[in-house]
């Protein structure tokens, strides 16, 4: 039986692997897509302590992977669909029909972008609607685009787009941003970024690709049409928790509840990173969670908790 199965190869999972391997715990990472998770699409990371940057998410993750490989932790490309078991061990099931037994599990499956729920949204994903300016911004060179959201990601990606596209309309349902002051200042001083406050997207219009958005004011209910060629959506995250860990207590949004040692309500099952209830969802907190979770697994395996 494997000592530790780490589900998810993002920053939380990779950090957990580094710490677990250095404790001498035999572990494997199970990742459904590619190592790195959400940050892989970011062009500029500037706030990871010790890495003054700017560094791309891809390059940063290469360093994480190098460290994990040097510790001989294998990464297997499998999509976890269920975790079950008791105090003797857990069974982790994958969608290819295979399963493994492990004494402990760390769930580090992160989160994925929340959708708008606007009419026609599904039809235009990949045809003008994107969740990643770094990946798709180039396709909109010289064009007009909308960015929906008011947090760090929305403003960060607007600033990135401002160097590529003609004009950016930041559509935000409130009348002020949630983004950090430093990002706000940069955005307010960028001439081709325009803010549409207290506004939501109701419908995405177009034939083959996005041509315009039907907008509605959250203040007076008035409607308007905004002509754009693309829409970038940054309105939050959905935790990748629900499908495969129903026994674990979730809060209303589906994040996994843990204590400060990353323990869930099931003995031997831990959670780390963006998938758990936490006040800040960043690289540094994901890395920290991974380290704490691995330490807790170590204590669990030697019978200290
Ligand atoms: C565009 C963007 C820019 C950002 N910029 C910054 C920044 O500059 N600085 C910063 O600190 N933070 C930034 N963040 C936030 C940061 O990326 C996240 O907080 C961090 O990556 C979370 O790491 P994680 O390992 O918890 O989750 P994730 O990165 O989401 O990784 C989870 C991994 O688990 C895998 N997985 C999911 N479900 C399963 C399953 N069922 N089976 C197997 N594998 C599974 C996923 O494929 C993924 O690889 C940014 C986020 C985005 C989206």
């Amino acid at each position: 039986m494997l000592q530790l199965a780490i589900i998810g190869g993002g920053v939380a999972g990779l950090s957990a692997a580094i710490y677990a391997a250095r404790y001498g715990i035999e572990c494997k990472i199970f990742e459904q897509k590619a190592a790195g998770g959400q940050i892989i699409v970011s062009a500029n990371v500037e706030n990871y302590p010790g890495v003054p940057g700017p560094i791309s998410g891809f390059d940063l993750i290469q360093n994480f992977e190098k460290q994990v490989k040097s510790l001989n932790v294998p990464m297997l490309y499998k999509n976890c669909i269920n975790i079950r078991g008791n105090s003797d061990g857990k069974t982790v099931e994958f969608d290819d029909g295979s399963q493994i037994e492990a004494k402990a599990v760390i769930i580090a499956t992160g989160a994925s972008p929340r959708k708008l729920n606007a009419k026609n949204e599904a039809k235009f994903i990949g045809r003008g609607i994107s969740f990643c300016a770094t990946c798709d911004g180039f396709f909109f060179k010289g064009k007009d685009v909308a960015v929906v959201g008011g947090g760090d990601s929305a403003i960060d990606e607007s600033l990135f787009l401002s160097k590529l596209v003609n004009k950016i309309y930041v559509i935000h349902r409130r009348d002020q941003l949630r983004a950090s002051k430093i990002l706000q200042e940069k955005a307010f001083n960028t001439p081709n970024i325009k803010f549409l406050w207290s506004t939501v997207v109701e419908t995405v219009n177009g034939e083959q690709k996005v041509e315009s958005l039907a907008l509605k004011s959250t203040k007076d209910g008035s409607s308007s049409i905004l002509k754009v060629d693309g829409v970038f959506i940054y309105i939050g995250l959905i935790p990748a928790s629900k499908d495969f860990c129903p026994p674990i207590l979730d809060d209303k949004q589906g994040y996994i509840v843990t204590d400060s040692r990353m323990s869930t309500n099931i003995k031997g099952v831990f959670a780390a990173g963006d998938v758990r209830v936490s006040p800040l969802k960043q690289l540094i907190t994901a890395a920290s969670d991974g380290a704490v979770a691995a330490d807790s697994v170590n204590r669990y395996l030697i019978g200290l908790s």
Side-chain angles (χ1 to χ4, degrees):
M1 185 185 290
L2 187 66
Q3 284 189 301
L4 169 63
I6 299 170
I7 316 299
V11 165
L14 294 168
S15 302
I18 291 166
Y19 273 73
R22 290 172 61 85
Y23 281 126
I25 298 170
E26 188 210 358
C27 62
K28 288 182 181 170
I29 302 172
F30 298 91
E31 164 58 48
Q32 67 177 0
K33 286 187 204 136
Q38 294 165 62
I39 201 61
I40 207 99
V41 301
S42 177
N44 287 316
V45 178
E46 298 184 18
N47 61 356
Y48 194 71
V51 184
I55 184 171
S56 72
F58 183 82
D59 287 345
L60 185 66
I61 288 301
Q62 293 243 304
N63 288 337
F64 273 79
E65 274 193 276
K66 215 182 279 173
Q67 213 169 345
V68 168
K69 274 189 191 141
S70 74
L71 292 162
N72 297 318
V73 180
M75 183 176 300
L76 306 175
Y77 292 94
K78 282 174 179 284
N79 181 24
C80 170
I81 52 168
N82 194 21
I83 299 165
R84 58 186 167 80
N86 51 37
S87 54
D88 294 332
K90 318 289 168 216
T91 302
V92 181
E93 297 174 350
F94 302 100
D95 67 352
D96 60 4
S98 65
Q99 57 182 48
I100 55 115
E101 311 290 324
K103 284 188 181 153
V105 177
I106 295 176
I107 301 170
T109 46
S112 56
R114 192 174 288 283
K115 305 216 168 48
L116 280 178
N117 273 335
K119 204 170 157 201
N120 297 337
E121 182 180 13
K123 175 178 164 190
F124 290 111
I125 289 176
R127 295 169 171 209
I129 294 184
S130 168
F131 300 90
C132 175
T134 316
C135 324
D136 300 331
F138 188 76
F139 300 122
F140 299 91
K141 207 171 173 187
K143 297 187 172 172
D144 292 346
V145 300
V147 169
V148 187
D152 278 350
S153 295
I155 303 309
D156 204 16
E157 298 298 87
S158 298
L159 289 166
F160 170 78
L161 284 168
S162 68
K163 295 180 198 113
L164 277 177
V165 304
N166 179 49
K167 194 162 199 173
I168 298 150
Y169 298 92
V170 176
I171 300 171
H172 188 37
R173 66 194 162 122
R174 302 189 200 287
D175 57 9
Q176 54 185 9
L177 299 174
R178 266 184 302 109
S180 65
K181 287 282 173 255
I182 189 163
L183 285 176
Q184 291 197 28
E185 266 168 37
K186 276 189 191 173
F188 292 146
N189 289 322
T190 303
N192 62 344
I193 298 182
K194 185 175 181 229
F195 289 87
L196 301 179
W197 302 109
S198 308
T199 302
V200 291
V201 178
E202 289 216 304
T203 309
V204 184
N205 300 314
E207 286 293 324
Q208 294 304 314
K209 51 190 182 58
V210 172
E211 290 168 19
S212 69
L213 302 175
L215 306 178
K216 189 174 178 181
S217 162
T218 57
K219 283 237 160 102
D220 58 15
S222 60
S223 303
S224 58
I225 296 287
L226 178 71
K227 286 198 167 195
V228 284
D229 301 290
V231 192
F232 292 85
I233 301 170
Y234 299 100
I235 53 168
L237 298 169
I238 300 174
S241 60
K242 281 188 179 145
D243 292 346
F244 62 91
C245 51
I248 292 161
L249 287 177
D250 284 357
D251 71 354
K252 276 187 196 134
Q253 290 177 291
Y255 290 98
I256 298 173
V257 177
T258 69
D259 63 14
S260 60
R261 293 212 61 90
M262 308 300 141
S263 310
T264 69
N265 64 316
I266 299 178
K267 262 193 164 307
V269 178
F270 303 82
D274 279 14
V275 74
R276 77 176 192 97
V277 178
S278 62
L280 184 65
K281 302 211 184 299
Q282 289 278 280
L283 296 168
I284 188 166
T285 46
S288 164
D289 281 6
V292 174
D295 183 67
S296 298
V297 168
N298 190 44
R299 291 169 63 86
Y300 174 73
L301 293 176
I302 60 178
L304 282 179
S305 59

